Every structure is written in C-alpha cells, then in structure tokens.
Amino acid sequence: MPGLEDLYREIILDHYRNPRNRGELDAPPATRTEGFNPLCGDEIVVYLDLDDAGVVEDIRIGGTGCSISQSSASMMSAAVKGKTVAEIEALTHAFKAMMSIHESSLDAYGDAADDDVEIPEDVKLGDLEALRGVVKFPVRIKCATLAWNTLAEGILQATADA
C-alpha cells in the first residue's frame, strides 16, 4: 500500500514541521518533565496542567530531536488534550501496543494483521496511526515512545503533588 505509506509520511512530516502545542507553561502550576534518549540525543520537555478532576487542561511540548520523536510528541499532545488520566492511560497502552509489534508479524507493506495488535475498539489513535511503520526500524521505537514515557512521568508527578 504505497499510497497509505505516503500519507503516513506526510502526517509525520506535517507534525514535525508544524508541531502542535509547542511552547511552555508556567511551572508551577503546570508540571514540567524532561525526557532524554541517550542513544540518539532526542530530548522532550512536557508541560502538563491537570485540573482537580485529572483532566488535561493544557499541555505544551518542547525539545529537540529527530522527526519521529518530535512528531510523536506533537501527535501525543494533540491526542491527550482534554482527556482524563484514565483515558490517557488507555491511549498510552494502545500506542505502546502498536509500537511493540514484532517485525516478523508484518506483511510485505509493513502492516500488521489486525489481530496482532491489542488495541481496544473504544481507543482511537488518529494521526498516531502514522507512526505504525516505525516498528520496521526497532531502534526508532524509543524515539516514538519518548514523549509518551515523559508524559507518564509528568502525570505521576502531577498526581503526587495533588
């Protein structure tokens, strides 16, 4: 499916060139968390503002790195804004499940059979689906998951402080 691969490539490049939610929030009240991948030098900073009910009121991202890490951070920030911590946990689980597909389970186009991925039907990945092809390059999976790991750490900090 070369057409789908081209579309996914364009989505990744769009998020890299035009990142969503780029910037900073005052910390405090927001929680500032940094993530770093020592293998490649990618850096992600997540500013997270949770309300009293555990809903993401605002999120901002910063950092430097490859197109995969930066576009994943952009997609992640757009996907979690307005969601509860529980919804974010489900989304994170679904995204990491997609990232953990073994290369041997991919077809000739790099797509996994639907039954290889345990993504709940009520969790929609949206633009994050564009990162599915990253599993063909296992060393890049850490690039794609860096923002998610940083967000999880930020949520732990924010909820511990509450």
Side-chain angles (χ1 to χ4, degrees):
M1 299 183 123
L4 188 57
E5 191 172 294
D6 290 341
L7 173 64
Y8 281 175
R9 190 174 298 119
E10 282 303 313
I11 291 170
I12 291 169
L13 288 175
D14 179 50
H15 277 272
Y16 178 65
R17 292 177 183 142
N18 306 295
R20 284 34 160 209
N21 303 303
R22 190 92 175 155
E24 298 180 1
L25 295 172
D26 289 335
T31 302
R32 181 183 188 275
T33 311
E34 294 181 42
F36 181 68
N37 183 348
L39 296 175
C40 63
D42 289 345
E43 297 177 1
I44 298 288
V45 180
V46 174
Y47 295 87
L48 182 66
D49 188 10
L50 291 177
D51 69 12
D52 293 338
V55 175
V56 176
E57 279 193 339
D58 205 356
I59 184 169
R60 293 285 183 259
I61 56 165
T64 60
C66 69
S67 61
I68 298 298
S69 72
Q70 298 302 301
S71 61
S72 180
S74 173
M75 291 179 211
M76 181 234 16
S77 71
V80 303
K81 203 172 209 179
K83 298 237 183 324
T84 66
V85 169
E87 291 170 321
I88 293 168
E89 288 172 354
L91 186 61
T92 300
H93 175 76
F95 181 75
K96 287 187 173 185
M98 182 179 75
M99 288 290 107
S100 67
I101 299 168
H102 297 287
E103 190 173 1
S104 61
S105 68
L106 301 175
D107 66 17
Y109 299 109
D111 296 321
D114 288 337
D115 58 343
D116 287 339
V117 183
E118 295 178 25
I119 299 175
E121 287 184 25
D122 60 332
V123 177
K124 304 296 181 216
L125 291 174
D127 281 358
L128 293 163
E129 286 279 347
L131 293 167
R132 182 180 294 271
V134 169
V135 298
K136 292 188 271 186
F137 309 96
V139 72
R140 304 299 300 276
I141 291 173
K142 289 196 182 291
C143 300
T145 58
L146 178 62
W148 294 89
N149 294 332
T150 307
L151 173 65
E153 187 178 322
I155 289 172
L156 285 175
Q157 287 178 17
T159 55
D161 294 342

mmCIF file of all heavy atoms in Angstrom, residues 69-110:
data_model
loop_
_atom_site.group_PDB
_atom_site.id
_atom_site.type_symbol
_atom_site.label_atom_id
_atom_site.label_comp_id
_atom_site.label_asym_id
_atom_site.label_seq_id
_atom_site.Cartn_x
_atom_site.Cartn_y
_atom_site.Cartn_z
ATOM 1 N N SER A 69 10.673 11.472 16.948
ATOM 2 C CA SER A 69 10.425 11.868 18.340
ATOM 3 C C SER A 69 9.613 13.149 18.418
ATOM 4 O O SER A 69 8.694 13.256 19.234
ATOM 5 C CB SER A 69 11.734 12.021 19.115
ATOM 6 O OG SER A 69 12.454 13.163 18.718
ATOM 7 N N GLN A 70 9.915 14.100 17.566
ATOM 8 C CA GLN A 70 9.228 15.387 17.629
ATOM 9 C C GLN A 70 7.798 15.296 17.094
ATOM 10 O O GLN A 70 6.890 15.909 17.650
ATOM 11 C CB GLN A 70 10.034 16.451 16.881
ATOM 12 C CG GLN A 70 11.412 16.694 17.488
ATOM 13 C CD GLN A 70 11.369 17.108 18.942
ATOM 14 O OE1 GLN A 70 10.771 18.121 19.287
ATOM 15 N NE2 GLN A 70 11.991 16.320 19.811
ATOM 16 N N SER A 71 7.579 14.541 16.035
ATOM 17 C CA SER A 71 6.212 14.397 15.523
ATOM 18 C C SER A 71 5.368 13.556 16.474
ATOM 19 O O SER A 71 4.181 13.837 16.673
ATOM 20 C CB SER A 71 6.204 13.814 14.109
ATOM 21 O OG SER A 71 6.775 12.530 14.084
ATOM 22 N N SER A 72 5.967 12.550 17.110
ATOM 23 C CA SER A 72 5.227 11.752 18.088
ATOM 24 C C SER A 72 4.805 12.624 19.262
ATOM 25 O O SER A 72 3.671 12.516 19.755
ATOM 26 C CB SER A 72 6.091 10.581 18.576
ATOM 27 O OG SER A 72 5.388 9.807 19.520
ATOM 28 N N ALA A 73 5.685 13.516 19.711
ATOM 29 C CA ALA A 73 5.349 14.429 20.802
ATOM 30 C C ALA A 73 4.196 15.349 20.401
ATOM 31 O O ALA A 73 3.274 15.593 21.183
ATOM 32 C CB ALA A 73 6.576 15.248 21.201
ATOM 33 N N SER A 74 4.244 15.859 19.180
ATOM 34 C CA SER A 74 3.183 16.724 18.686
ATOM 35 C C SER A 74 1.851 15.979 18.638
ATOM 36 O O SER A 74 0.823 16.472 19.111
ATOM 37 C CB SER A 74 3.547 17.243 17.289
ATOM 38 O OG SER A 74 2.471 17.944 16.712
ATOM 39 N N MET A 75 1.863 14.773 18.060
ATOM 40 C CA MET A 75 0.641 13.968 17.966
ATOM 41 C C MET A 75 0.116 13.621 19.351
ATOM 42 O O MET A 75 -1.093 13.660 19.598
ATOM 43 C CB MET A 75 0.908 12.693 17.178
ATOM 44 C CG MET A 75 1.170 12.905 15.721
ATOM 45 S SD MET A 75 1.494 11.308 14.925
ATOM 46 C CE MET A 75 2.607 11.802 13.633
ATOM 47 N N MET A 76 1.028 13.265 20.254
ATOM 48 C CA MET A 76 0.642 12.920 21.618
ATOM 49 C C MET A 76 -0.033 14.101 22.296
ATOM 50 O O MET A 76 -1.100 13.950 22.899
ATOM 51 C CB MET A 76 1.867 12.486 22.425
ATOM 52 C CG MET A 76 1.546 12.097 23.839
ATOM 53 S SD MET A 76 2.431 12.889 25.196
ATOM 54 C CE MET A 76 3.235 14.316 24.644
ATOM 55 N N SER A 77 0.555 15.286 22.174
ATOM 56 C CA SER A 77 -0.013 16.460 22.845
ATOM 57 C C SER A 77 -1.419 16.763 22.331
ATOM 58 O O SER A 77 -2.307 17.109 23.116
ATOM 59 C CB SER A 77 0.899 17.674 22.685
ATOM 60 O OG SER A 77 0.889 18.162 21.363
ATOM 61 N N ALA A 78 -1.622 16.618 21.033
ATOM 62 C CA ALA A 78 -2.949 16.853 20.462
ATOM 63 C C ALA A 78 -3.938 15.775 20.907
ATOM 64 O O ALA A 78 -5.116 16.065 21.155
ATOM 65 C CB ALA A 78 -2.867 16.896 18.938
ATOM 66 N N ALA A 79 -3.461 14.550 21.041
ATOM 67 C CA ALA A 79 -4.348 13.435 21.386
ATOM 68 C C ALA A 79 -4.805 13.456 22.840
ATOM 69 O O ALA A 79 -5.898 12.983 23.144
ATOM 70 C CB ALA A 79 -3.653 12.109 21.077
ATOM 71 N N VAL A 80 -3.983 13.998 23.746
ATOM 72 C CA VAL A 80 -4.322 13.911 25.166
ATOM 73 C C VAL A 80 -5.009 15.160 25.722
ATOM 74 O O VAL A 80 -5.570 15.108 26.817
ATOM 75 C CB VAL A 80 -3.089 13.575 26.043
ATOM 76 C CG1 VAL A 80 -2.450 12.283 25.573
ATOM 77 C CG2 VAL A 80 -2.088 14.707 26.086
ATOM 78 N N LYS A 81 -4.975 16.242 24.997
ATOM 79 C CA LYS A 81 -5.570 17.483 25.489
ATOM 80 C C LYS A 81 -7.069 17.280 25.720
ATOM 81 O O LYS A 81 -7.788 16.811 24.849
ATOM 82 C CB LYS A 81 -5.338 18.603 24.479
ATOM 83 C CG LYS A 81 -5.407 19.975 25.066
ATOM 84 C CD LYS A 81 -4.964 21.002 24.044
ATOM 85 C CE LYS A 81 -4.370 22.200 24.704
ATOM 86 N NZ LYS A 81 -3.908 23.187 23.740
ATOM 87 N N GLY A 82 -7.523 17.610 26.933
ATOM 88 C CA GLY A 82 -8.931 17.462 27.280
ATOM 89 C C GLY A 82 -9.312 16.069 27.761
ATOM 90 O O GLY A 82 -10.465 15.823 28.094
ATOM 91 N N LYS A 83 -8.355 15.170 27.817
ATOM 92 C CA LYS A 83 -8.639 13.793 28.254
ATOM 93 C C LYS A 83 -8.324 13.623 29.746
ATOM 94 O O LYS A 83 -7.516 14.347 30.318
ATOM 95 C CB LYS A 83 -7.791 12.807 27.448
ATOM 96 C CG LYS A 83 -8.064 12.825 25.965
ATOM 97 C CD LYS A 83 -8.468 11.464 25.489
ATOM 98 C CE LYS A 83 -8.703 11.282 24.022
ATOM 99 N NZ LYS A 83 -9.285 12.309 23.265
ATOM 100 N N THR A 84 -8.966 12.622 30.346
ATOM 101 C CA THR A 84 -8.694 12.286 31.743
ATOM 102 C C THR A 84 -7.441 11.429 31.824
ATOM 103 O O THR A 84 -6.999 10.859 30.812
ATOM 104 C CB THR A 84 -9.859 11.492 32.361
ATOM 105 O OG1 THR A 84 -9.948 10.227 31.696
ATOM 106 C CG2 THR A 84 -11.174 12.248 32.267
ATOM 107 N N VAL A 85 -6.904 11.314 33.020
ATOM 108 C CA VAL A 85 -5.732 10.468 33.229
ATOM 109 C C VAL A 85 -6.046 9.028 32.812
ATOM 110 O O VAL A 85 -5.226 8.368 32.174
ATOM 111 C CB VAL A 85 -5.245 10.545 34.700
ATOM 112 C CG1 VAL A 85 -4.206 9.470 34.991
ATOM 113 C CG2 VAL A 85 -4.686 11.929 34.998
ATOM 114 N N ALA A 86 -7.235 8.534 33.130
ATOM 115 C CA ALA A 86 -7.618 7.167 32.755
ATOM 116 C C ALA A 86 -7.664 7.009 31.231
ATOM 117 O O ALA A 86 -7.208 5.994 30.695
ATOM 118 C CB ALA A 86 -8.968 6.803 33.369
ATOM 119 N N GLU A 87 -8.209 8.006 30.537
ATOM 120 C CA GLU A 87 -8.248 7.950 29.068
ATOM 121 C C GLU A 87 -6.831 7.988 28.487
ATOM 122 O O GLU A 87 -6.539 7.300 27.505
ATOM 123 C CB GLU A 87 -9.075 9.106 28.512
ATOM 124 C CG GLU A 87 -10.556 9.002 28.797
ATOM 125 C CD GLU A 87 -11.320 10.267 28.442
ATOM 126 O OE1 GLU A 87 -10.802 11.388 28.671
ATOM 127 O OE2 GLU A 87 -12.462 10.123 27.939
ATOM 128 N N ILE A 88 -5.960 8.772 29.097
ATOM 129 C CA ILE A 88 -4.567 8.853 28.635
ATOM 130 C C ILE A 88 -3.860 7.525 28.852
ATOM 131 O O ILE A 88 -3.098 7.081 27.999
ATOM 132 C CB ILE A 88 -3.825 10.000 29.343
ATOM 133 C CG1 ILE A 88 -4.411 11.341 28.907
ATOM 134 C CG2 ILE A 88 -2.328 9.948 29.059
ATOM 135 C CD1 ILE A 88 -3.953 12.522 29.741
ATOM 136 N N GLU A 89 -4.128 6.876 29.976
ATOM 137 C CA GLU A 89 -3.525 5.565 30.238
ATOM 138 C C GLU A 89 -3.958 4.555 29.182
ATOM 139 O O GLU A 89 -3.144 3.773 28.687
ATOM 140 C CB GLU A 89 -3.873 5.078 31.642
ATOM 141 C CG GLU A 89 -3.134 5.847 32.722
ATOM 142 C CD GLU A 89 -3.597 5.510 34.130
ATOM 143 O OE1 GLU A 89 -4.587 4.742 34.303
ATOM 144 O OE2 GLU A 89 -2.979 6.033 35.075
ATOM 145 N N ALA A 90 -5.225 4.568 28.795
ATOM 146 C CA ALA A 90 -5.724 3.652 27.761
ATOM 147 C C ALA A 90 -5.088 3.974 26.415
ATOM 148 O O ALA A 90 -4.689 3.066 25.673
ATOM 149 C CB ALA A 90 -7.252 3.735 27.668
ATOM 150 N N LEU A 91 -4.976 5.257 26.095
ATOM 151 C CA LEU A 91 -4.357 5.677 24.838
ATOM 152 C C LEU A 91 -2.877 5.298 24.810
ATOM 153 O O LEU A 91 -2.368 4.811 23.802
ATOM 154 C CB LEU A 91 -4.540 7.182 24.656
ATOM 155 C CG LEU A 91 -4.081 7.780 23.335
ATOM 156 C CD1 LEU A 91 -4.839 7.174 22.159
ATOM 157 C CD2 LEU A 91 -4.266 9.295 23.357
ATOM 158 N N THR A 92 -2.187 5.501 25.930
ATOM 159 C CA THR A 92 -0.770 5.138 26.028
ATOM 160 C C THR A 92 -0.596 3.641 25.837
ATOM 161 O O THR A 92 0.303 3.201 25.115
ATOM 162 C CB THR A 92 -0.194 5.585 27.386
ATOM 163 O OG1 THR A 92 -0.336 6.995 27.509
ATOM 164 C CG2 THR A 92 1.270 5.213 27.511
ATOM 165 N N HIS A 93 -1.462 2.868 26.478
ATOM 166 C CA HIS A 93 -1.393 1.408 26.340
ATOM 167 C C HIS A 93 -1.582 1.001 24.867
ATOM 168 O O HIS A 93 -0.845 0.170 24.350
ATOM 169 C CB HIS A 93 -2.450 0.742 27.220
ATOM 170 C CG HIS A 93 -2.524 -0.737 27.047
ATOM 171 N ND1 HIS A 93 -1.598 -1.598 27.593
ATOM 172 C CD2 HIS A 93 -3.399 -1.511 26.354
ATOM 173 C CE1 HIS A 93 -1.903 -2.838 27.242
ATOM 174 N NE2 HIS A 93 -2.993 -2.810 26.503
ATOM 175 N N ALA A 94 -2.567 1.604 24.216
ATOM 176 C CA ALA A 94 -2.836 1.274 22.806
ATOM 177 C C ALA A 94 -1.653 1.672 21.919
ATOM 178 O O ALA A 94 -1.252 0.914 21.031
ATOM 179 C CB ALA A 94 -4.113 1.979 22.340
ATOM 180 N N PHE A 95 -1.094 2.859 22.160
ATOM 181 C CA PHE A 95 0.038 3.317 21.348
ATOM 182 C C PHE A 95 1.242 2.404 21.540
ATOM 183 O O PHE A 95 1.884 1.983 20.581
ATOM 184 C CB PHE A 95 0.404 4.763 21.697
ATOM 185 C CG PHE A 95 1.548 5.289 20.884
ATOM 186 C CD1 PHE A 95 1.362 5.640 19.557
ATOM 187 C CD2 PHE A 95 2.813 5.413 21.435
ATOM 188 C CE1 PHE A 95 2.416 6.114 18.793
ATOM 189 C CE2 PHE A 95 3.871 5.889 20.685
ATOM 190 C CZ PHE A 95 3.674 6.239 19.357
ATOM 191 N N LYS A 96 1.539 2.068 22.798
ATOM 192 C CA LYS A 96 2.694 1.203 23.058
ATOM 193 C C LYS A 96 2.458 -0.211 22.537
ATOM 194 O O LYS A 96 3.401 -0.879 22.121
ATOM 195 C CB LYS A 96 3.040 1.209 24.539
ATOM 196 C CG LYS A 96 3.687 2.518 24.951
ATOM 197 C CD LYS A 96 4.190 2.460 26.369
ATOM 198 C CE LYS A 96 4.970 3.714 26.701
ATOM 199 N NZ LYS A 96 5.562 3.634 28.043
ATOM 200 N N ALA A 97 1.206 -0.663 22.531
ATOM 201 C CA ALA A 97 0.901 -1.967 21.936
ATOM 202 C C ALA A 97 1.213 -1.936 20.441
ATOM 203 O O ALA A 97 1.803 -2.865 19.897
ATOM 204 C CB ALA A 97 -0.561 -2.345 22.169
ATOM 205 N N MET A 98 0.848 -0.834 19.785
ATOM 206 C CA MET A 98 1.145 -0.690 18.366
ATOM 207 C C MET A 98 2.663 -0.650 18.140
ATOM 208 O O MET A 98 3.170 -1.214 17.183
ATOM 209 C CB MET A 98 0.511 0.585 17.820
ATOM 210 C CG MET A 98 0.731 0.801 16.336
ATOM 211 S SD MET A 98 -0.063 2.296 15.709
ATOM 212 C CE MET A 98 1.036 3.564 16.344
ATOM 213 N N MET A 99 3.390 -0.035 19.046
ATOM 214 C CA MET A 99 4.845 0.087 18.917
ATOM 215 C C MET A 99 5.575 -1.208 19.258
ATOM 216 O O MET A 99 6.755 -1.340 18.959
ATOM 217 C CB MET A 99 5.387 1.194 19.827
ATOM 218 C CG MET A 99 5.061 2.588 19.380
ATOM 219 S SD MET A 99 5.952 3.048 17.870
ATOM 220 C CE MET A 99 4.635 3.001 16.679
ATOM 221 N N SER A 100 4.889 -2.148 19.871
ATOM 222 C CA SER A 100 5.564 -3.380 20.288
ATOM 223 C C SER A 100 5.340 -4.546 19.333
ATOM 224 O O SER A 100 5.698 -5.670 19.637
ATOM 225 C CB SER A 100 5.125 -3.774 21.697
ATOM 226 O OG SER A 100 3.765 -4.150 21.699
ATOM 227 N N ILE A 101 4.768 -4.264 18.174
ATOM 228 C CA ILE A 101 4.561 -5.315 17.178
ATOM 229 C C ILE A 101 5.926 -5.836 16.746
ATOM 230 O O ILE A 101 6.831 -5.068 16.465
ATOM 231 C CB ILE A 101 3.818 -4.767 15.945
ATOM 232 C CG1 ILE A 101 2.457 -4.233 16.337
ATOM 233 C CG2 ILE A 101 3.699 -5.831 14.861
ATOM 234 C CD1 ILE A 101 1.785 -3.434 15.246
ATOM 235 N N HIS A 102 6.061 -7.132 16.689
ATOM 236 C CA HIS A 102 7.325 -7.707 16.240
ATOM 237 C C HIS A 102 7.397 -7.663 14.724
ATOM 238 O O HIS A 102 6.416 -7.916 14.031
ATOM 239 C CB HIS A 102 7.477 -9.141 16.749
ATOM 240 C CG HIS A 102 7.540 -9.202 18.237
ATOM 241 N ND1 HIS A 102 8.644 -8.789 18.941
ATOM 242 C CD2 HIS A 102 6.633 -9.585 19.163
ATOM 243 C CE1 HIS A 102 8.421 -8.928 20.227
ATOM 244 N NE2 HIS A 102 7.202 -9.416 20.388
ATOM 245 N N GLU A 103 8.574 -7.333 14.212
ATOM 246 C CA GLU A 103 8.764 -7.190 12.771
ATOM 247 C C GLU A 103 8.340 -8.456 12.017
ATOM 248 O O GLU A 103 7.838 -8.386 10.906
ATOM 249 C CB GLU A 103 10.231 -6.873 12.479
ATOM 250 C CG GLU A 103 10.484 -6.485 11.056
ATOM 251 C CD GLU A 103 11.910 -6.021 10.828
ATOM 252 O OE1 GLU A 103 12.702 -6.011 11.765
ATOM 253 O OE2 GLU A 103 12.216 -5.689 9.679
ATOM 254 N N SER A 104 8.493 -9.623 12.634
ATOM 255 C CA SER A 104 8.132 -10.877 11.976
ATOM 256 C C SER A 104 6.634 -10.975 11.711
ATOM 257 O O SER A 104 6.205 -11.767 10.874
ATOM 258 C CB SER A 104 8.587 -12.071 12.813
ATOM 259 O OG SER A 104 7.947 -12.049 14.073
ATOM 260 N N SER A 105 5.821 -10.160 12.398
ATOM 261 C CA SER A 105 4.377 -10.231 12.194
ATOM 262 C C SER A 105 3.893 -9.240 11.138
ATOM 263 O O SER A 105 2.699 -9.145 10.890
ATOM 264 C CB SER A 105 3.642 -9.977 13.515
ATOM 265 O OG SER A 105 3.822 -8.632 13.911
ATOM 266 N N LEU A 106 4.812 -8.504 10.512
ATOM 267 C CA LEU A 106 4.439 -7.521 9.500
ATOM 268 C C LEU A 106 4.342 -8.172 8.129
ATOM 269 O O LEU A 106 5.112 -9.070 7.800
ATOM 270 C CB LEU A 106 5.478 -6.386 9.451
ATOM 271 C CG LEU A 106 5.678 -5.606 10.751
ATOM 272 C CD1 LEU A 106 6.816 -4.605 10.580
ATOM 273 C CD2 LEU A 106 4.411 -4.906 11.161
ATOM 274 N N ASP A 107 3.410 -7.663 7.312
ATOM 275 C CA ASP A 107 3.317 -8.162 5.945
ATOM 276 C C ASP A 107 4.298 -7.404 5.054
ATOM 277 O O ASP A 107 5.105 -6.606 5.526
ATOM 278 C CB ASP A 107 1.880 -8.076 5.429
ATOM 279 C CG ASP A 107 1.371 -6.654 5.277
ATOM 280 O OD1 ASP A 107 2.188 -5.696 5.260
ATOM 281 O OD2 ASP A 107 0.141 -6.478 5.157
ATOM 282 N N ALA A 108 4.239 -7.644 3.763
ATOM 283 C CA ALA A 108 5.188 -7.044 2.820
ATOM 284 C C ALA A 108 5.130 -5.519 2.816
ATOM 285 O O ALA A 108 6.105 -4.856 2.450
ATOM 286 C CB ALA A 108 4.920 -7.580 1.419
ATOM 287 N N TYR A 109 3.998 -4.940 3.250
ATOM 288 C CA TYR A 109 3.856 -3.487 3.258
ATOM 289 C C TYR A 109 4.194 -2.881 4.614
ATOM 290 O O TYR A 109 4.083 -1.687 4.820
ATOM 291 C CB TYR A 109 2.424 -3.085 2.876
ATOM 292 C CG TYR A 109 2.049 -3.536 1.493
ATOM 293 C CD1 TYR A 109 1.139 -4.553 1.300
ATOM 294 C CD2 TYR A 109 2.625 -2.943 0.376
ATOM 295 C CE1 TYR A 109 0.803 -4.977 0.031
ATOM 296 C CE2 TYR A 109 2.298 -3.360 -0.899
ATOM 297 C CZ TYR A 109 1.382 -4.370 -1.061
ATOM 298 O OH TYR A 109 1.050 -4.783 -2.321
ATOM 299 N N GLY A 110 4.585 -3.731 5.568
ATOM 300 C CA GLY A 110 4.887 -3.230 6.897
ATOM 301 C C GLY A 110 3.671 -3.050 7.764
ATOM 302 O O GLY A 110 3.734 -2.433 8.810
#
